[in-house]
Amino acid sequence: MSAHQPPRTPDAPAGAGSTPDARQLRAILVTVSLALMAVIASVSGLNVAQTHMAVEFGASQTTVLWIINVYTLALAALLLPLGAIGDRLGRKPVLIAGLVLFGAASVVAGLAPSAGVMIGARVAAGISAAMIMPITLAVITSTFPEQERGRAIGVWTGVAGGGGILGMFLSALLVDVADWRGLFVLPVVLVVAALVMTLKSVPDSRERSAHSFDTIGALFSATAVVGLIFALQEGPERGWTDSATLVGLAVGALAAVAFTAWELHRRDASLLDVRLFRERGLAGGSVTLLVVFGVQAGVAVVLFPFFQAVLGWSGLLSTAAMMPMAVMMMAASGLAPRMAARTGARATMAAGVALAALGLALMALFVSVDGGYLSILAGMLAMGAGMGLSMTPSTEAITGSLPRARQGVASALNDVTREFGTALGVAMLGALLANGYRGAIDGRLDGIPGGAADTAREGIANAVEVAPGTGGHAQDLIHAAQQSFVDGWQQAMWIGAAVMGVLLLYVALRGPRTTTPVDAGEGAAPEAEAAQSVAAR
């Protein structure tokens, strides 16, 4: 552990004096997994109901996108401050408060009579999700004994990685068989179950700190996250030179610089000791999660239009087609701790990144209109396995870089990194696909009426929609759009594979050597702590 971290003594868990037995540990793991699943499912669940909300609320596409994106903005902005508050006030009470507020916000959203009420409910849900998400991981790292911690983190990362796809599938199923408002039944059920189990099984732990809460650092961090993620979300829609996008980017960048300067000034009293990024564990884990989650989110952006516009599948079937990748990801997350114990965290991360890069290359090589789903299945499976192997040791590297008394902050940093990666991947790979599509379709529009050709250039969904109005050119236009989409897909996948190749080189040279947390102030000898610090570097 870094010598930058001052000694802190965490309270003992409630019912203290003994480590929870195996049965209680299983109950704790199930509890935090249910709570995390509710949060993750709510990130992507509403994507399948955009048309329904637009019709029922009479809302524009911009308003609908705000209903979806404002949740992520509130969640990402408050992760670090609320993670730190959870360390101080107690992880169990903050988790309980977050679950109660999240459940109430979900009920209000499910009954919302207008878009304005829905947006307000989604903001409240995002705030409460920021109370829940970092605490779920902090409970694991502060409660589980060292020999069990890796396996528990593997389960957590599997739920965090595959839970979004599983939640989207269940949401699409609810929309198909019931009503779009039924989307909120799933998170409410999960929250109620998690709340009951939290009250019964989760011990409390908290940090005693000699320093006041870093309010200014919290404000800077929230502003930086909101500005940067807003720019990443709005850039593809508004344009990267739009004034709102540029303002968001400028505000976020300035706040990030101010946050770094302020945290260096606060040093040991900081919200997040940014000096720790000099160490391999925190830097390597953060970079890996940023890139891996960015690529995953970007691939999801290109998969759905492939299933729906190229293969002509329904939303439910398209979501089901993603499940093999999610299942492989969750299985590999469970395998990763055992592999890391044998070969080391760095080797496991490198193997995962290499496998994910192979998956992207396979999809780029073999994707075709005629080959359909089978032409990309092998690549999806390889990518899912690679992501699962890389996520767990990366998460352990981050949480292992801070003392256990500050695991709320460590967990929040892990979550912020994932949110940034997701926003960045969607913006970048989505833009690459769009540019590749436009460049490919221009040469395939000979003979297509001018108006229809202009519409087709906007995207494959637009081409499919306008094709029936072109008479005898309809089939030619659809085929041109499908083939152009595949061309754009290949370009995006090859660039994604190249990015993963660079990440592989980084992990091989600068990946973490150890991910075991050190409890400063718990009687560890200075020599042992210094040895851990050297190993982590």
Side-chain angles (χ1 to χ4, degrees):
M1 187 57 222
S2 169
H4 297 147
Q5 285 294 337
R8 288 181 175 89
T9 304
D11 288 351
S18 61
T19 302
D21 59 26
R23 183 176 180 180
Q24 186 179 1
L25 289 175
R26 284 195 298 271
I28 291 170
L29 187 55
V30 170
T31 301
V32 297
S33 296
L34 289 173
L36 178 63
M37 182 66 193
V39 171
I40 296 296
S42 294
V43 172
S44 55
L46 276 185
N47 282 321
V48 301
Q50 293 187 43
T51 303
H52 301 275
M53 289 189 294
V55 171
E56 183 156 340
F57 293 143
S60 66
Q61 181 63 20
T62 300
T63 300
V64 170
L65 288 176
W66 267 108
I67 291 173
I68 294 170
N69 291 339
V70 74
Y71 173 86
T72 306
L73 275 176
L75 166 63
L78 296 175
L79 279 167
L80 274 176
L82 291 178
I85 288 172
D87 285 336
R88 289 168 175 263
L89 299 183
R91 295 168 183 124
K92 181 172 182 175
V94 171
L95 179 58
I96 290 171
L99 290 169
V100 171
L101 178 58
F102 190 89
S106 297
V107 170
V108 172
L111 301 174
S114 67
V117 173
M118 175 66 83
I119 290 174
R122 293 286 287 174
V123 170
I127 293 171
S128 53
M131 300 169 70
I132 296 168
M133 196 172 183
I135 298 301
T136 57
L137 182 56
V139 165
I140 290 175
T141 55
S142 63
T143 303
F144 277 70
E146 183 178 331
Q147 63 271 22
E148 300 287 338
R149 197 175 303 134
R151 185 170 60 86
I153 290 176
V155 173
W156 188 93
T157 57
V159 173
I165 297 174
L166 180 59
M168 189 177 293
F169 171 73
L170 294 174
S171 298
L173 182 61
L174 284 169
V175 169
D176 270 20
V177 303
D179 182 78
W180 72 269
R181 292 181 182 272
L183 292 173
F184 297 99
V185 173
L186 176 62
V188 169
V189 170
L190 291 171
V191 160
V192 170
L195 181 59
V196 171
M197 294 188 69
T198 298
L199 293 169
K200 180 181 178 181
S201 303
V202 175
D204 191 19
S205 59
R206 68 187 69 201
E207 168 199 3
R208 292 194 185 101
S209 176
H211 305 290
S212 60
F213 181 73
D214 185 7
T215 304
I216 294 178
L219 291 173
F220 278 143
S221 72
T223 304
V225 170
V226 168
L228 294 174
I229 290 188
F230 173 84
L232 290 171
Q233 288 178 342
E234 295 296 310
E237 184 72 20
R238 295 173 178 264
W240 293 104
T241 58
D242 181 81
S243 58
T245 304
L246 293 175
V247 168
L249 189 61
V251 169
L254 289 173
V257 171
F259 173 76
T260 302
W262 176 255
E263 297 304 276
L264 288 171
H265 168 72
R266 289 272 295 187
R267 299 178 70 84
D268 294 336
S270 61
L271 179 70
L272 172 66
D273 190 346
V274 295
R275 294 171 296 173
L276 288 171
F277 282 98
R278 298 170 184 165
E279 299 185 358
R280 288 188 174 194
L282 193 62
S286 298
V287 170
T288 301
L289 281 185
L290 180 78
V291 175
V292 166
F293 267 83
V295 171
Q296 181 205 26
V299 168
V301 166
V302 302
L303 277 175
F304 276 98
F306 178 77
F307 294 145
Q308 293 179 304
V310 176
L311 303 185
W313 290 358
S314 67
L316 179 59
L317 185 57
S318 299
T319 309
M322 294 278 289
M323 291 301 293
M325 185 169 73
V327 171
M328 187 64 73
M329 190 188 310
M330 297 173 81
S333 294
L335 174 66
R338 293 194 292 274
M339 183 172 172
R342 292 192 181 98
T343 66
R346 179 164 50 175
T348 304
M349 289 168 63
V353 172
L355 199 53
L358 174 63
L360 291 166
L362 288 174
M363 286 191 281
L365 280 170
F366 297 113
V367 64
S368 68
V369 177
D370 295 333
Y373 184 57
L374 292 179
S375 69
I376 62 168
L377 180 58
M380 288 174 57
L381 294 175
M383 186 178 169
M387 290 187 61
L389 287 178
S390 59
M391 287 190 304
T392 300
S394 299
T395 296
E396 284 194 88
I398 293 173
T399 58
S401 297
L402 277 77
R404 207 153 298 141
R406 303 202 69 189
Q407 285 304 291
V409 173
S411 305
L413 177 61
N414 175 79
D415 299 331
V416 169
T417 302
R418 299 156 83 102
E419 294 299 329
F420 265 119
T422 298
L424 186 62
V426 169
M428 296 298 103
L429 281 184
L432 287 170
L433 174 65
N435 290 334
Y437 169 85
R438 283 193 293 268
I441 201 171
D442 276 337
R444 296 187 171 113
L445 293 175
D446 293 340
I448 305 297
D454 291 340
T455 301
R457 288 187 182 93
E458 296 174 10
I460 187 171
N462 305 81
V464 172
E465 183 178 359
V466 77
T470 60
H473 297 289
Q475 201 57 43
D476 291 337
L477 178 56
I478 290 175
H479 180 74
Q482 290 174 334
Q483 191 56 53
S484 299
F485 182 89
V486 167
D487 291 347
W489 165 299
Q490 290 175 313
Q491 177 180 314
M493 292 301 100
W494 280 124
I495 292 177
V499 170
M500 295 298 279
V502 173
L503 176 62
L504 177 60
L505 183 62
Y506 173 82
V507 170
L509 296 176
R510 295 292 302 168
R513 295 196 183 115
T514 182
T515 57
T516 303
V518 177
D519 286 334
E522 289 189 3
E527 295 85 356
E529 184 170 348
Q532 279 281 6
S533 180
V534 170
R537 292 174 188 273

